[in-house]
Amino acid sequence: VEDEAHIIELARLYFEREGFRVSAVGDGEAALEAARRENPALLVLDVMLPKLDGFEVCKRVRAKSDVPIIMLTARDDDLDKIIGLELGADDYLTKPFNPRELVARVKAILRRSERAAPRADNAALHLNDVTIDPAAREVLVRGKRVTLRTKEFDLLLTLAENKGLVLTREKLLELVWGFDYVGQTRTIDVHVAHVRKALAGSQVTIET
Ligand code: CA
C-alpha cells in the first residue's frame, strides 16, 4: 500500500523476481478493501497515504485479522508512533529502503508464520473419542470411520492441532486453504458445519 508509483514498481520488481504475487493499492481505504478481498499473506503498508493513513489502516486491519504487516515510514516520529501505539505491526522499515531488505524481511516473517502452522510429523491425534490420522487422512469417531472431504479434514486437523485456541476465520483460511486462496470467510462456516455434523455424537465440539 503506497501512493508513490515508483516505490510500488520497484518493490514489485523485486518481489516478483522472488516468485511473490503483488497486489498494489494507493490509498488507505483501498487498502482496507483489498485486505478483505484478497486475503493477502502479508501487507506492506506505507504510513503516509491519502484518505486513511497507514496507522489507521494498520489498526483497522489488525482488529479483524492477524495478517503480518510491515510498515514503511519516512520519518522518525512515525517510527515512534508505530512502536509507541502498539499498532500490531510485525516489522517496519524506514525510507529510503533497500528493496532487497524489504524482501528479506517479508520472507523472514512468512517463515515465522509458517512455523506457527500445522506440525510436520504425521502422528495420529486423539481427542477424547475422536482419532485424527493425518497419514491415512482418516477420522474415527468412537472407533467408526467418518467421511470428510479434503478441506474438511484439513480444517478439523488444524483445529485439533490448535485445540483450545481461538482461530479467526482469516487465520483458518490461511492455514487450511493457503495464502493463495481467494474467497470468503463464509467458506469456513460451511466447512465447520460439515465437520460438526461428522463429529455429531462424539465428545469433541467446535466452539464459535
Ligand atoms: Ca506514501
Side-chain angles (χ1 to χ4, degrees):
V1 184
E2 167 64 278
D3 55 324
E4 290 167 76
H6 71 279
I7 294 184
I8 295 260
E9 287 324 306
L10 187 66
R12 181 192 294 283
L13 190 75
Y14 279 80
F15 278 121
E16 289 185 345
R17 203 151 63 191
E18 296 286 330
F20 289 97
R21 234 180 3 192
V22 176
S23 173
V25 291
D27 69 68
E29 282 174 8
L32 290 177
E33 169 58 25
R36 204 165 35 230
R37 189 183 61 233
E38 307 204 14
N39 188 35
L42 183 144
L43 280 181
V44 179
L45 181 59
D46 188 38
V47 168
M48 292 290 284
L49 293 171
K51 296 186 183 173
L52 289 176
D53 69 25
F55 299 128
E56 194 55 35
V57 173
C58 185
K59 231 165 31 187
R60 293 198 198 175
V61 168
R62 187 51 84 234
K64 290 189 182 159
S65 148
D66 48 8
V67 60
I69 298 174
I70 297 182
M71 297 200 71
L72 302 177
T73 169
R75 301 190 317 229
D76 285 348
D77 53 332
D78 284 345
L79 198 54
D80 291 343
K81 275 195 199 162
I82 292 169
I83 299 164
L85 294 177
E86 293 173 355
L87 293 166
D90 295 84
D91 204 352
Y92 48 81
L93 268 181
T94 50
K95 287 174 169 178
F97 60 87
N98 179 338
R100 285 179 210 282
E101 172 75 13
L102 178 59
V103 172
R105 301 274 188 108
V106 164
K107 283 182 170 175
I109 288 177
L110 292 179
R111 266 199 306 272
R112 247 186 276 153
S113 35
E114 271 164 25
R115 266 205 298 277
R119 72 237 148 87
D121 69 298
N122 265 346
L125 259 97
H126 303 280
L127 300 176
N128 296 331
D129 51 358
V130 173
T131 301
I132 305 164
D133 183 351
R137 296 188 66 80
E138 197 173 67
V139 178
L140 301 175
V141 175
R142 294 153 84 179
K144 247 182 89 182
R145 186 160 188 261
V146 298
T147 310
L148 290 178
R149 292 187 188 159
T150 304
K151 287 300 173 195
E152 292 166 1
F153 181 89
D154 292 341
L155 177 65
L156 176 60
L157 180 61
T158 301
L159 289 170
E161 285 171 335
N162 293 281
K163 187 179 64 155
L165 299 180
V166 176
L167 298 175
T168 62
R169 288 177 173 80
E170 286 79 10
K171 189 70 196 175
L172 285 170
L173 278 177
E174 194 178 279
L175 292 174
V176 176
W177 276 262
F179 289 126
D180 289 342
Y181 181 75
V182 179
Q184 296 176 335
T185 51
R186 168 99 184 110
T187 306
I188 295 286
D189 301 42
V190 173
H191 282 74
V192 166
H194 288 163
V195 174
R196 279 195 173 124
K197 217 166 155 186
L199 296 179
S202 80
Q203 295 162 7
V204 174
T205 53
I206 301 171
E207 288 178 37
T208 300

